[in-house]
């Protein structure tokens, strides 16, 4: 039963890790920008859910409905007003800019919320489902379903919509897309906005499971980076596969080596993949 419990925990956490990483992968793949502010977006989304519930009694599930457009607008404007000015510069410049923005946002959260850990606790509690010796909290199941729904929505957007096809076209060959009439600057802003919206929604879901603190932003950024490398940059299904693999390795490592070694194992796995299979599990040239 221990193996079944580890597998279920990996499935739950893996879907959430995929949700964390997909927005990061989208921005990296389309804009060629390693967005170091992504972890702080996730923490800010968690605080949004926590504040909405504590101060206005709004359920975290409803918080998703306004978190997505708020973060999309924030990300869209951030790209248009700041990142767009240096988008053609070497990657080190955009890396430095997002690092600076991350410092500003993270320190602002520390100023307003302090570095203390807070926990969003639903009242009444949602309880858990027990089958034999396997126990799964209901809130984790709902968070997993929501993360999967967000992943499927992004997949359909990229595959079925005009905007999604334009994002894929810019990702594959920007110059050719421009010749076909695509406004790449708008596509860049939309892609960055989508990445921010997915990060904010992931933060809302993570607030139901883990304590919230600005200090956790670097951990979320690290997991997004690892999942992108494991799954393959530019692949929605790859992000899902990478998230599941990371969660499985962390779960097994926690059982046999202790929870303190889970993060170390994830970065060992990252190094192995960079050496053996740098394109990741399902990496491909363009988005699906």
């Amino acid at each position: 039963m221990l193996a079944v419990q580890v597998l279920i925990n990996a499935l739950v956490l893996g879907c959430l890790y995929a949700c964390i990483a997909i927005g990061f992968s989208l921005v990296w793949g389309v804009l060629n920008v390693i967005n170091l502010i992504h972890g702080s977006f996730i923490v800010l989304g968690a605080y949004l859910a926590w504040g909405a519930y504590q101060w206005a009694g709004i359920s975290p599930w409803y918080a998703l409905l306004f978190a997505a457009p708020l973060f999309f607008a924030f990300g869209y404007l951030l790209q248009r007003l700041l990142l767009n000015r240096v988008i053609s510069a070497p990657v080190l410049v955009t890396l430095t800019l997002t690092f600076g923005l991350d410092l500003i946002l993270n320190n602002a959260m520390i100023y307003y919320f302090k570095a203390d850990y807070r926990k969003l606790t639903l009242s009444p509690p949602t309880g858990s489902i027990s089958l034999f010796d396997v126990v799964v909290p209901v809130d984790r199941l709902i968070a997993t379903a929501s993360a999967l729904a967000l992943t499927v929505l992004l997949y359909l957007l990229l595959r079925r919509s005009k905007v999604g096809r334009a994002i894929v076209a810019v990702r594959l060959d920007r110059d050719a897309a421009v010749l076909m009439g695509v406004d790449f600057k708008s596509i860049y802003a939309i892609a960055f906005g989508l990445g921010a919206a997915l990060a904010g929604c992931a933060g809302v879901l993570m607030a139901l499971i883990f304590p919230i603190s600005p200090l956790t932003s670097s951990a979320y950024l690290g997991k997004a980076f690892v999942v992108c490398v494991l799954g393959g940059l530019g692949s929605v299904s790859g992000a899902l596969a990478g998230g599941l693999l990371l969660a499985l390795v962390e779960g097994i490592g926690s059982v046999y080596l202790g929870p303190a070694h889970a993060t170390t194992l994830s970065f060992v796995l990252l190094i192995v993949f960079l050496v053996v299979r740098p394109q990741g599990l399902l990496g491909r040239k363009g988005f699906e």
Side-chain angles (χ1 to χ4, degrees), residues 62-265:
Y62 293 115
L64 282 173
L65 299 177
F66 57 82
L70 275 177
F71 275 88
F72 177 83
F74 185 41
Y76 185 94
L77 291 174
L78 194 63
Q79 199 284 332
R80 275 288 194 185
L81 299 177
L82 290 178
L83 275 173
N84 202 39
R85 296 176 182 273
V86 296
I87 199 68
S88 300
V91 68
L92 189 60
V93 176
T94 55
L95 197 69
T96 305
L97 178 59
T98 57
F99 177 68
L101 292 172
D102 179 59
L103 286 178
I104 293 171
L105 180 57
N106 200 262
N107 279 283
M109 287 192 290
I110 291 175
Y111 178 80
Y112 284 107
F113 299 110
K114 311 303 178 188
D116 301 333
Y117 283 84
R118 307 176 190 215
K119 184 73 178 75
L120 196 162
T121 304
L122 296 177
S123 180
T126 53
S128 59
I129 297 175
S130 300
L131 185 62
F132 300 107
D133 291 334
V134 177
V135 180
V136 184
V138 173
D139 54 357
R140 291 197 176 201
L141 283 178
I142 299 176
T144 302
S146 302
L148 272 176
L150 289 169
T151 304
V152 172
L153 280 175
L154 179 64
Y155 177 83
L156 294 176
L157 175 72
L158 294 175
R159 193 177 179 88
R160 302 288 175 84
S161 71
K162 185 177 179 180
V163 171
R165 288 193 291 271
I167 291 174
V168 174
V170 171
R171 156 68 176 145
L172 289 171
D173 191 329
R174 191 185 74 178
D175 294 334
V178 171
L179 290 175
M180 298 300 291
V182 175
D183 181 359
F184 77 91
K185 291 184 178 179
S186 293
I187 294 300
Y188 277 175
I190 291 171
F192 198 87
L194 284 173
L198 287 165
C201 291
V204 171
L205 299 177
M206 297 302 278
L208 289 161
I209 301 173
F210 297 107
I212 307 164
S213 169
L215 303 180
T216 57
S217 65
S218 58
Y220 287 136
L221 178 64
K223 290 190 186 301
F225 191 86
V226 173
V227 170
C228 282
V229 172
L230 297 183
L233 185 64
S235 170
V236 174
S237 54
L240 188 57
L244 291 172
L245 178 61
L246 176 62
L248 186 62
V249 169
E250 285 187 349
I252 295 173
S254 297
V255 171
Y256 291 102
L257 300 175
H261 298 285
T263 303
T264 305
L265 277 177

Side-chain angles (χ1 to χ4, degrees), residues 21-33:
I22 286 175
F24 185 75
S25 178
L26 182 71
V27 171
W28 192 355
V30 176
L31 282 75
N32 195 29
V33 169

Side-chain angles (χ1 to χ4, degrees), residues 256-277:
Y256 291 102
L257 300 175
H261 298 285
T263 303
T264 305
L265 277 177
S266 67
F267 282 100
V268 169
L269 189 65
L270 168 70
I271 293 171
V272 170
F273 262 73
L274 285 174
V275 173
V276 177
R277 191 176 172 82

